[in-house]
Amino acid sequence: AQSVAQPEDQVNVAEGNPLTVKCTYSVSGNPYLFWYVQYPNRGLQFLLKYITGDNLVKGSYGFEAEFNKSQTSFHLKKPSALVSDSALYFCAVRDNNNNDMRFGAGTRLTVKP
Amino acid sequence: ETGVTQTPRHLVMGMTNKKSLKCEQHLGHNAMYWYKQSAKKPLELMFVYNFKEQTENNSVPSRFSPECPNSSHLFLHLHTLQPEDSALYLCASSQGASGGRVFTTETQYFGPGTRLLVL
């Protein structure tokens, strides 16, 4: 079965600095990778996904992620963080063999002014 | 908003109660999902429905009973829950696929969740 790991519970960055939220995955087939964000008292909002093609995926709110097959990683990045980016970020993976979806435990991003 | 609504937003129930969570999507989707979000744990996929047929049941205890009467509505019936079932229950939907095809590349759209407390 597929699995995903987010090695950092918490990431703190200063506003205006670049941010990275890490994600690694394990699947038996081809990976389909997703990033979601959750603001307080809200459901998850889709940011971006990798299905196939270009390894660099651009998504909502200026976020992007790079698929690295050799390192089995899909780290989320943003060149310049905003205070409003502070939220809980989830990486998720599916493979092409079933409809199961596995999420990471989440990383809390705090951007300080 | 994402087009997925959930009611109630908050629910407190005793272990002997019976209650139901409701999810409705206004996106024209055909696949719907229930997730459980507990503190400091990954989201757990509970059930998947595609075109009203259940396609996934991830070893969920029978005290949780899903119902999907049509592609727009999804219920989670709760009966004799335990305190450890207290969590945020999230509903999601996606386009879905007919003919038994998997739909693993689809983006899921989530509702705001129901915060459940079992006393």
Side-chain angles (χ1 to χ4, degrees):
Chain A
Q2 59 268 41
S3 65
V4 62
Q6 293 180 243
E8 301 157 316
D9 291 337
Q10 176 91 30
V11 170
N12 298 313
V13 299
E15 187 175 29
N17 283 0
L19 70 87
T20 299
V21 183
K22 296 180 179 178
C23 172
T24 58
Y25 67 89
S26 174
V27 297
S28 57
N30 294 324
Y32 302 135
L33 296 151
F34 303 78
W35 275 103
Y36 285 85
V37 60
Q38 186 176 33
Y39 297 100
N41 301 314
R42 303 283 295 274
L44 276 67
Q45 295 180 35
F46 171 74
L47 280 179
L48 51 81
K49 66 181 178 183
Y50 171 82
I51 304 301
T52 186
D54 195 347
N55 289 344
L56 184 64
V57 180
K58 293 187 183 295
S60 307
Y61 313 119
F63 284 94
E64 59 187 30
E66 185 166 11
F67 171 64
N68 187 317
K69 188 173 183 178
S70 63
Q71 297 185 5
T72 60
S73 67
F74 190 57
H75 301 331
L76 181 70
K77 299 182 180 182
K78 187 172 182 179
S80 179
L82 301 172
V83 173
S84 57
D85 292 329
S86 299
L88 193 55
Y89 290 80
F90 291 95
C91 182
V93 65
R94 282 175 129 166
D95 70 27
N96 59 337
N97 295 318
N98 62 71
N99 291 321
D100 197 3
M101 180 89 138
R102 295 298 169 101
F103 283 80
T107 298
R108 185 163 300 282
L109 172 68
T110 302
V111 181
K112 298 183 178 177
Chain B
E1 298 302 326
T2 62
V4 182
T5 59
Q6 290 186 242
T7 54
R9 294 294 306 275
H10 301 272
L11 178 62
V12 180
M13 61 186 290
M15 289 190 284
T16 58
N17 292 157
K18 289 184 180 181
K19 297 286 184 183
S20 295
L21 310 185
K22 178 182 177 182
C23 176
E24 183 173 3
Q25 57 91 6
H26 310 274
L27 302 169
H29 289 165
N30 294 292
M32 297 188 78
Y33 310 75
W34 278 118
Y35 287 88
K36 177 183 179 182
Q37 185 178 19
S38 304
K40 303 194 176 184
K41 291 178 65 177
L43 266 73
E44 300 171 55
L45 179 64
M46 300 173 72
F47 302 104
V48 181
Y49 278 83
N50 182 42
F51 284 82
K52 301 189 294 180
E53 298 295 322
Q54 188 178 123
T55 64
E56 298 285 338
N57 177 343
N58 282 341
S59 303
V60 180
S62 59
R63 57 186 183 270
F64 295 91
S65 174
E67 178 189 2
C68 189
N70 55 63
S71 292
S72 298
H73 294 86
L74 184 66
F75 295 89
L76 188 63
H77 303 300
L78 315 173
H79 181 223
T80 59
L81 295 192
Q82 304 298 311
E84 59 265 29
D85 296 322
S86 299
L88 181 67
Y89 288 85
L90 293 166
C91 173
S93 71
S94 70
Q95 189 62 46
S98 59
R101 290 179 292 118
V102 295
F103 38 94
T104 53
T105 64
E106 294 178 355
T107 298
Q108 294 179 26
Y109 296 85
F110 285 79
T114 295
R115 176 75 60 187
L116 174 66
L117 177 62
V118 182
L119 300 176

